[in-house]
Amino acid sequence: MSTPVLYVGNKNYSSWSLRPWLALAWAGVDFDTKVIPLGGDHYGKMNNPAILAVSATGRVPALHLPSGRVVLESLAIAEWAAESATEPGILPKDRELRAQCRAVSAEMHSGFGAVRSELPMNIRRRTEPRDWSDLARHEIQRLIDLWQELLAEHGGPFLFGHRTIADAMYAPVCTRFRTYGVELPAAASAYCDAVFADADFKRWERDALAEEWAIESTDAV
Ligand SMILES: N[C@@H](CCC(=O)N[C@@H](CS)C(=O)NCC(=O)O)C(=O)O
């Protein structure tokens, strides 16, 4: 193998897969993508043999490097992409902004559990707005505040002006807000529109819309 291979889940549903895929694409890394359909009896149990064959945790994404090393965890893969990036890069050049970008990326990686469970990524789906739990509402507000602060500070259209790993981490949240009809203030809405207009995002979305696999438990949320 001379090109890194990113193993991902269904593009319609796998938010953790979309994140490093965008980071690699934005970084200008040459890589191949292999989709492993999630769902069925193994779903959520981390015992899918097709995933275990490429990922010791039973989870995707998994990046297989030409050396034979395997990098797991979406954020670590996004960091690897940032270190491999061609100009202009996907981390801010300024040291403090880089730290800020890593902090908000880590916040997404470790947090927003209620949004992740109550509003699972489902790119092709559209629902009417509904009532969320208090915790989900609190997290939605934190997401909006965080985005709006960064957009005001850096001038948009992306969180740090240009595309960074933070946008890769938050892109699935934009799709969730669109799927579940979450009303957004103008700046947050414009941010999501910038993500949706991105050529690489559109490539992923096109594949997601063309997929025929369904995960009924997610479709019913
Ligand atoms: N912390 C991991 C989370 C990865 C994860 O939970 N992936 C889900 C798909 S989005 C998975 O592989 N699930 C396996 C399954 O349901 O069988 C990361 O950031 O990469």
Side-chain angles (χ1 to χ4, degrees):
M1 184 216 315
S2 58
T3 307
V5 177
L6 183 69
Y7 290 89
V8 299
N10 316 35
K11 292 186 174 179
N12 184 58
Y13 298 103
S14 183
S15 59
W16 292 117
S17 300
L18 168 57
R19 295 176 166 111
W21 186 91
L22 278 178
L24 288 161
W26 290 347
V29 173
D30 186 20
F31 70 106
D32 292 329
T33 306
K34 293 203 170 141
V35 179
I36 302 176
L38 307 174
D41 290 345
H42 298 294
Y43 188 51
K45 297 189 185 136
M46 314 317 148
N47 63 359
N48 183 331
I51 301 180
L52 284 168
V54 298
S55 164
T57 59
R59 296 175 192 266
V60 281
L63 180 69
H64 285 223
L65 297 175
S67 67
R69 287 211 170 77
V70 178
V71 185
L72 302 179
E73 294 298 326
S74 54
L75 187 52
I77 300 170
E79 284 277 359
W80 183 85
E83 288 189 9
S84 312
T86 51
E87 289 304 312
I90 54 166
L91 277 171
K93 292 223 177 308
D94 177 86
R95 193 174 169 209
E96 289 190 8
L97 295 188
R98 236 179 8 258
Q100 189 185 25
C101 181
R102 288 190 163 117
V104 301
S105 301
E107 184 177 346
M108 180 66 245
H109 192 242
S110 63
F112 301 112
V115 164
R116 289 197 278 112
S117 64
E118 290 181 42
L119 296 77
M121 188 170 95
N122 196 336
I123 289 178
R124 58 177 169 246
R125 189 173 181 211
R126 297 291 182 275
T127 73
E128 291 300 315
R130 53 177 98 158
D131 287 336
W132 309 110
S133 68
D134 288 350
L135 184 54
R137 277 211 311 279
H138 170 81
E139 289 180 1
I140 289 169
Q141 194 56 53
R142 165 64 187 154
L143 285 157
I144 291 170
D145 292 346
L146 173 66
W147 290 355
Q148 301 219 123
E149 273 168 35
L150 292 169
L151 293 165
E153 184 179 350
H154 304 298
F158 293 96
L159 297 177
F160 290 84
H162 60 91
R163 298 177 305 188
T164 65
I165 62 171
D167 304 296
M169 294 305 287
Y170 285 103
V173 176
C174 289
T175 76
R176 289 167 148 115
F177 287 169
R178 181 176 65 174
T179 291
Y180 300 98
V182 175
E183 207 171 306
L184 297 176
S189 177
Y191 170 59
C192 288
D193 287 344
V195 170
F196 299 146
D198 177 76
D200 291 308
F201 174 81
K202 278 175 179 288
R203 276 203 291 148
W204 177 282
E205 183 183 44
R206 195 187 51 226
D207 292 349
L209 297 178
E211 280 177 350
E212 289 179 0
W213 304 295
I215 302 180
E216 282 159 20
S217 56
T218 302
D219 287 344
V221 167

